[in-house]
Amino acid sequence: METGDTAPAFTLDDETGNPRSLDELLEAGPVVLFFYPQAMTAGCTAEACHFRDLAADFKAVGATPVGISHDSVDRQAAFAQKHSFGYPLLSDPEGKVAEAFDVRRRLGIVGTKRKTFVIGQDRKILGAFKSELNMNAHADKALELLQGA
């Protein structure tokens, strides 16, 4: 999945166990869907907290950050509660959505690559960013794209 592609429709449970579809999330405006390898790890915590810290900026451009990983609903709930994210964390335990977005790893213990997609209300991907090491790059680049759009 890259810029210009149509994001696949999906429904996954959020950190509260409620099913959330991409189409439903897009009703409020663009979605910044960020895939991360594992909740509660140092890098993923830094990335997710940076999205949280920019919440007002994302709100100002009408966008909603949404995190997604292979973690269970319970682990996502603990992660969200510990850091007060204020945005949905989706559980993709079988990696089906990660596979559809081509961010599933074939080897290793970490099942998901770190990649962010800015998705317009028509499900078109407006931008895609990847960096395994710069945890702030995902939110910063997504916000920059949305502010310039």
Side-chain angles (χ1 to χ4, degrees):
M1 294 265 102
E2 296 298 332
T3 301
D5 291 344
T6 299
F10 66 83
T11 300
L12 292 171
D13 288 345
D14 68 12
E15 75 283 1
T16 66
N18 290 320
R20 304 288 290 269
S21 72
L22 178 59
D23 289 336
E24 170 219 333
L25 291 163
L26 287 169
E27 288 174 5
V31 165
V32 180
L33 185 67
F34 67 99
F35 286 85
Y36 58 95
Q38 190 171 14
M40 304 290 200
T41 59
C44 295
T45 298
E47 179 184 20
C49 286
H50 191 57
F51 273 101
R52 177 202 62 206
D53 295 346
L54 295 176
D57 298 299
F58 281 108
K59 186 175 183 178
V61 294
T64 303
V66 177
I68 183 170
S69 74
H70 71 277
D71 293 292
S72 68
V73 168
D74 289 343
R75 188 163 174 93
Q76 298 285 42
F79 192 36
Q81 182 177 0
K82 182 174 183 177
H83 299 286
S84 303
F85 293 129
Y87 55 78
L89 295 180
L90 305 180
S91 177
D92 183 25
E94 295 174 14
K96 290 181 180 179
V97 176
E99 179 100 21
F101 278 84
D102 196 28
V103 296
R104 189 168 184 186
R105 291 186 199 275
R106 301 286 176 238
L107 302 171
I109 60 171
V110 178
T112 306
K113 297 175 188 175
R114 189 180 312 279
K115 191 165 183 180
T116 297
F117 299 89
V118 179
I119 305 171
Q121 287 185 278
D122 59 358
R123 288 204 351 241
K124 292 288 184 199
I125 296 177
L126 305 174
F129 314 103
K130 62 183 176 180
S131 175
E132 294 290 339
L133 303 175
N134 184 342
M135 302 312 157
N136 289 349
H138 295 262
D140 291 347
K141 288 181 179 183
L143 189 57
E144 182 179 302
L145 174 77
L146 288 163
Q147 288 172 332

